[in-house]
Amino acid sequence: MKIKVDEIASRMFFSKNYLSKIFKQETGQSIRSFLTEIRMKEACRQLSSTQTNITDIAADCGFSDMKSFYAIFKKYTGKTPKQYREDK
């Protein structure tokens, strides 16, 4: 599922900028980095506990572009999704 900051802000009746500012003040990180962290944790969980296709895992975690999924995953874990799965 793709979660968008605009949608979160709208549901809370805040502007995107105000929500982003408050979130950063309270957590020390941006909403975008927080959501990416959640997506990466879920991708890691699925890679280590299922045999689901990597493309399907990426889509399930909110990524429509495989190139960006691989780049972000490698930055987050230091490994490609395939390497991560093989090591688990």
Side-chain angles (χ1 to χ4, degrees):
M1 176 165 82
K2 183 75 172 170
I3 299 171
K4 297 180 181 178
V5 178
D6 291 340
E7 292 175 16
I8 296 169
S10 175
R11 289 177 186 233
M12 296 179 74
F13 303 103
F14 292 147
S15 72
K16 179 182 170 182
N17 291 337
Y18 180 73
L19 177 61
S20 296
K21 178 181 174 183
I22 296 301
F23 192 91
K24 178 104 177 186
Q25 285 176 347
E26 294 297 319
T27 67
Q29 70 184 99
S30 70
I31 296 174
R32 173 173 252 164
S33 66
F34 177 75
L35 292 175
T36 298
E37 184 177 331
I38 291 172
R39 289 180 177 125
M40 290 295 102
K41 286 180 180 179
E42 177 60 15
C44 289
R45 185 195 69 75
Q46 287 188 37
L47 286 166
S48 61
S49 65
T50 73
Q51 290 303 313
T52 304
N53 182 294
I54 293 172
T55 303
D56 293 338
I57 290 173
D60 188 46
C61 293
F63 292 90
S64 56
D65 175 25
M66 288 303 293
K67 186 176 180 179
S68 66
F69 174 70
Y70 271 81
I72 293 169
F73 191 90
K74 184 144 188 178
K75 182 178 179 183
Y76 184 79
T77 65
K79 300 175 182 181
T80 66
K82 184 179 178 184
Q83 290 169 334
Y84 185 89
R85 177 174 268 166
E86 289 170 352
D87 288 348
K88 293 294 169 181

